[in-house]
Amino acid sequence: MKRIAQALQDKEAVSGLFILKDKEKVKSKFKESFGLVYSGRVTSIHVESDDELIGLTHYMLKLALGMDCQLTDALKAPKIEPDAATFTKFLKVVNSFTTHAAKTLYGSAPSRRFVARVQEQIDGITSADAKDCRPLYFSGNAADSMFKYFWTTDFVWNGRRTCMAELIAKEDPVVMSALSEWTFKHGQVEAMVEQARFGIEKYLPDHAYRKQVLLPVYNDNDDPEYLAVTPIPSIALADSIGKAQQRFRNRHVVMQSNGKEFTPFYIPGADKGNSLKFGGTKPQNINDFASSVGGYFPVLFSRIPRIPMAQGVSERAAKGWSLIDLSPKTNPEAIMVDRHVGHRNQIDSYSIAVNAFVEMSFMPILEYADVIQEAYDKGVENAKSEGKVIESGEFDLPLPKTWDGLKGLTLALLSEDRLTEAQVEKYTKAYVAGVQEFVMRYSKMTEMARSIFIEVVSQYLRNWRNPIRRHYG
Amino acid sequence: MGKFINIDFYVDGLHASANPHVVGLPALTGIDGFVHTLERQFGFCTSSWSIAYRRFDMDGAHLRIANYEVGSNNSKSPSTPSTILDKRTASLEGVLIIEVNDDDGNIGKLVDSLIDGIEGFRFCGGTFMLGNESITAWETVTDSLKAVGKCSRKPHFFMEDMTHILNQAPEGLSKLDWLMDLIARPKNYDPENPQLAYECESLGYLTPVVKGYQLLETPRERQNTRFDLPHAYAESVIGLARMRSLPSVLAFVNQYQETPVIFWVNDTDDSQGNLLWDVRSISIEL
């Protein structure tokens, strides 16, 4: 480390330029260590023309000081022979690992770049269509692969081929002394050793496979031969999709009379644009690609058409189940279909929805019929006392007499008993009659009565859906 | 012409972003891979396949039902963390129609073995399960399509290949811009852009879909490949599909005596230099 410090203070030869972000901690530490003078936000450190020193310094900056630094190839990037297993090979990976270069679309990640010539005469969209930004530029699974290469790139240390993960995991005395000299927090070295061991376990040879898919290619005898293929994303294409999305909005935006911008298109699944910004505040939950590009990346959205809603159904009703949307014709049919045709263990989503609807909406009403009626009466009295006009007799809950059918059906569905045809018919008729009566009465209510009813019912639904409150009050 | 097998299925936990540039429906390459897996596992030979979607749901973020527990904020009683999926996965229902070469007349046995063994296979990252209609075999494609229509739960949307119209971009529009126009759905007739609205209406519901891979280099031996096979880096090819409803498909069949291009088969092409492996559409004559 003394050698590094000496080299850093030496300003004879220049081969690399480090640009450091402005951080108080870094400033003070560097001032202590090297006596360097900082001016402004950016400081350049000139080091001796020794790849090993550049990289090791860079590595130590990252690990010991916990800072981000970026290597610019303003002067000269170190050339690495492909076959030479040198320490600089590892250090170059450390450079790219620490730069987080793949987080910007136009960033440079020299180690991860994959340049290819793509053919343009092809049916479909490929990166060849990404003409408005730098083409032929790919970055792999940046976050993952950078971490992998960080630990596993091999180099020569004391005449033996090894990697940094192995050195740290085996607690090589030279590395450990360097680390302990450069780390300031207690436990940081131990954490690094643990991370190195984890890296070895996860990424060293047995687990270091690239992600691949096998493509069958048929020979003359129609026997499949396989190709292993690793699909890699094109950052240029992602960027072009985003720009095309913006151009689309610019082309089709319309100014409304009130001055607001308005795009006269129905966009499936998205409010703005015909593609999505995929990602969020936790891009690691999406995938590594989202993480590597900094959270959001524009994608095209692919889905089946939405089934158009019946006219007159409100938007609110379309989002969830609503009492007034009950179709007396279809729902009992669905229940019967589930009962007689469907497998018990393979209930389809529609039946599940119907069951859930019945279970969650009607059972509590049945269960709390008296309480709801009482609460409703109270609500009506309160409304009257406040001077609001509610006609007498406009709302009379059709509970629970006419809903016996529904109750029977529901209980039968929830239990394992199988209904007879006659029972199903009887219950269904009663159910339909009950629902029809309810809908009729509901439609006759004034707005005030409806709001009171919804409030009362939703209150009991909330209580009912919460098992703790339901059972323990 | 082979015989047709209808597989009524649903898939849970489908990988919704099989491609970094298209999110949503599974890639055609993934479905073709599934069909190829069936070929290998059950020992039959397919000519083509088609898929009809009945339901497709992206699993949304912040699921508050599965693992959510009230009172999880209380540090004294740790509870299961809530599931946050952020639309990584999806669930799917539909019918997969596979055209099988039935030279031996063993299609009955094949259907039986499929019913016994198909559940639990991986379908584009999800778990493949049989639906209520299970698996049925049909002599002709017409019977097969009609059988889809008789499924108890409707509707169905077939994927029809419309990738070729990407090459018909108007002057001044790049292929990507043209794609953006095509997959936008006009809400109302716009007097300022009558042509666009007309075009979109006539072309139906278009959606991007991943249909193949273009190799970026010549396959070669590499270290750290999972199998002892030639390896190459590749990029996905994005195509365009029209969601054709079942009545529309049947009307087309009646009118033209062939199916619209809703059947798919994988093929390779190396005439352009790099190998192109994609899933291409074919039409089946009645």
Side-chain angles (χ1 to χ4, degrees), chain B residues 87-106:
Chain B
K87 297 188 187 300
R88 283 186 70 175
T89 57
S91 52
L92 176 66
E93 259 184 42
V95 178
L96 184 63
I97 302 176
I98 303 178
E99 185 186 4
V100 179
N101 296 340
D102 184 31
D103 299 335
D104 307 335
N106 285 335

Side-chain angles (χ1 to χ4, degrees), chain A residues 119 226 230 266 274 285, chain B residues 36 88 180 185 214 231 238:
Chain A
Q119 59 200 47
Y226 292 95
T230 301
Y266 167 60
N274 40 15
N285 287 341
Chain B
H36 183 67
R88 283 186 70 175
M180 293 290 164
R185 302 287 301 137
Q214 178 187 204
H231 176 269
I238 301 168

Side-chain angles (χ1 to χ4, degrees), chain A residues 49-230:
Chain A
S49 173
D50 186 338
D51 292 337
E52 184 175 333
L53 283 181
I54 297 172
L56 191 57
T57 309
H58 199 184
Y59 171 64
M60 289 303 171
L61 289 176
K62 168 68 184 171
L63 294 182
L65 300 177
M67 54 172 282
D68 295 331
C69 44
Q70 192 169 7
L71 172 68
T72 66
D73 8 308
L75 298 176
K76 182 170 77 172
K79 288 182 180 174
I80 298 175
E81 295 299 323
D83 294 330
T86 60
F87 190 54
T88 48
K89 187 180 172 188
F90 167 75
L91 295 170
K92 191 179 177 186
V93 175
V94 174
N95 286 340
S96 60
F97 181 74
T98 50
T99 54
H100 296 276
K103 283 195 172 183
T104 56
L105 290 179
Y106 289 104
S108 60
S111 296
R112 303 281 70 77
R113 181 169 58 192
F114 187 87
V115 179
R117 182 173 296 278
V118 292
Q119 59 200 47
E120 299 195 3
Q121 302 299 325
I122 192 172
D123 264 4
I125 303 282
T126 61
S127 62
D129 299 301
K131 288 173 181 170
D132 46 0
C133 69
R134 192 189 301 174
L136 312 182
Y137 187 83
F138 296 87
S139 174
N141 185 347
D144 190 41
S145 61
M146 278 189 177
F147 189 72
K148 182 196 298 180
Y149 280 87
F150 172 70
W151 290 112
T152 59
T153 304
D154 51 354
F155 59 95
V156 176
W157 183 263
N158 289 340
R160 197 178 71 82
R161 177 179 275 205
T162 179
C163 68
M164 186 54 90
E166 187 182 358
L167 281 180
I168 297 178
K170 290 184 176 175
E171 306 191 18
D172 182 273
V174 178
V175 175
M176 297 312 286
S177 66
L179 288 177
S180 57
E181 187 180 338
W182 277 76
T183 45
F184 309 105
K185 287 179 185 173
H186 177 70
Q188 207 166 354
V189 178
E190 285 81 356
M192 277 196 58
V193 171
E194 201 162 306
Q195 199 180 7
R197 285 174 180 158
F198 170 74
I200 286 177
E201 190 181 318
K202 188 174 180 187
Y203 292 120
L204 280 189
D206 285 349
H207 304 277
Y209 296 129
R210 296 178 174 89
K211 286 175 183 170
Q212 301 154 52
V213 290
L214 295 184
L215 304 181
V217 180
Y218 293 89
N219 57 17
D220 295 339
N221 300 329
D222 274 357
D223 295 327
E225 297 167 353
Y226 292 95
L227 270 180
V229 159
T230 301

Side-chain angles (χ1 to χ4, degrees), chain A residues 326 328 332 362 366 398 400-409 422-438:
Chain A
L326 266 183
F362 286 89
L366 297 172
K401 289 180 185 172
T402 53
W403 286 23
D404 281 346
L406 173 67
K407 195 172 180 180
L409 266 183
Q423 278 175 314
V424 169
E425 196 179 346
K426 175 189 161 194
Y427 287 141
T428 307
K429 276 183 182 174
Y431 166 56
V432 172
V435 170
Q436 278 173 342
E437 185 179 346
F438 178 81

Side-chain angles (χ1 to χ4, degrees), chain A residues 14 110 138 192 213 249 288 324 336 339 342 410 449:
Chain A
V14 176
F138 296 87
M192 277 196 58
V213 290
R249 282 186 58 74
D288 297 326
I324 56 172
M336 288 168 69
R339 229 13 231 171
T410 312

Side-chain angles (χ1 to χ4, degrees), chain A residues 114-130 132 138 149 205 208-218 224 226-235 237-238 240-245 247-248 251-252 254 262 264-268 274-276 278-279 282 284-287 289 297-307 337 341-343 345-350 465-466 468, chain B residues 10 17 19-25 32 36 39-40 53-56 58 70 84-88 93 119 130-132 152-155 157 163-164 166-167 173-181 183-188 190 192-193 196 205 207-209 211 213-217 219-220 222-227 229-239 243 266 268-269 272-278:
Chain A
F114 187 87
V115 179
R117 182 173 296 278
V118 292
Q119 59 200 47
E120 299 195 3
Q121 302 299 325
I122 192 172
D123 264 4
I125 303 282
T126 61
S127 62
D129 299 301
D132 46 0
F138 296 87
Y149 280 87
Y209 296 129
R210 296 178 174 89
K211 286 175 183 170
Q212 301 154 52
V213 290
L214 295 184
L215 304 181
V217 180
Y218 293 89
Y226 292 95
L227 270 180
V229 159
T230 301
I232 50 178
S234 163
I235 289 183
L237 182 57
S240 293
I241 289 174
K243 286 179 177 171
Q245 177 184 357
R247 284 198 298 272
F248 171 83
R251 272 186 284 132
H252 298 298
V254 172
F262 168 67
F265 290 97
Y266 167 60
I267 312 300
N274 40 15
S275 52
L276 297 173
F278 199 56
K282 293 190 190 315
Q284 68 272 23
N285 287 341
I286 306 288
N287 54 31
F289 185 63
F297 62 104
V299 293
L300 302 167
F301 194 49
S302 170
R303 58 166 294 159
I304 62 175
R306 291 185 181 194
I307 303 161
V337 163
V341 180
H343 302 289
N345 56 352
Q346 291 178 7
I347 301 172
D348 62 276
S349 62
Y350 187 50
R465 284 174 68 173
N466 186 333
I468 298 172
Chain B
Y10 65 91
S17 56
N19 172 275
H21 308 302
V22 180
V23 168
L25 292 174
D32 192 84
H36 183 67
E39 277 184 330
R40 286 178 60 97
Y53 296 108
R54 184 163 56 229
R55 181 179 65 81
F56 176 76
M58 305 267 283
V70 182
I84 297 177
L85 291 176
D86 282 340
K87 297 188 187 300
R88 283 186 70 175
E93 259 184 42
E119 286 194 325
L130 282 183
N132 285 355
S152 59
R153 297 178 303 283
K154 300 172 186 176
F157 294 99
T163 310
H164 58 278
L166 283 176
N167 296 327
L173 279 189
S174 71
K175 216 193 251 187
L176 265 177
D177 288 333
W178 178 231
L179 173 70
M180 293 290 164
D181 275 0
I183 62 179
R185 302 287 301 137
K187 191 175 184 181
N188 298 312
D190 181 12
E192 294 185 4
N193 296 302
L196 181 73
Y205 186 99
T207 188
V209 64
K211 68 187 286 279
Y213 294 109
Q214 178 187 204
L215 269 55
L216 296 170
E217 58 180 357
R220 54 180 167 147
R222 268 212 173 88
Q223 287 184 342
N224 288 350
T225 49
R226 192 175 293 276
F227 307 98
L229 291 170
H231 176 269
Y233 284 102
E235 68 166 330
S236 306
V237 178
I238 301 168
M243 287 296 171
N266 70 58
T268 53
D269 179 14
Q272 300 276 346
N274 293 339
L275 184 71
L276 172 68
W277 187 99
D278 67 346

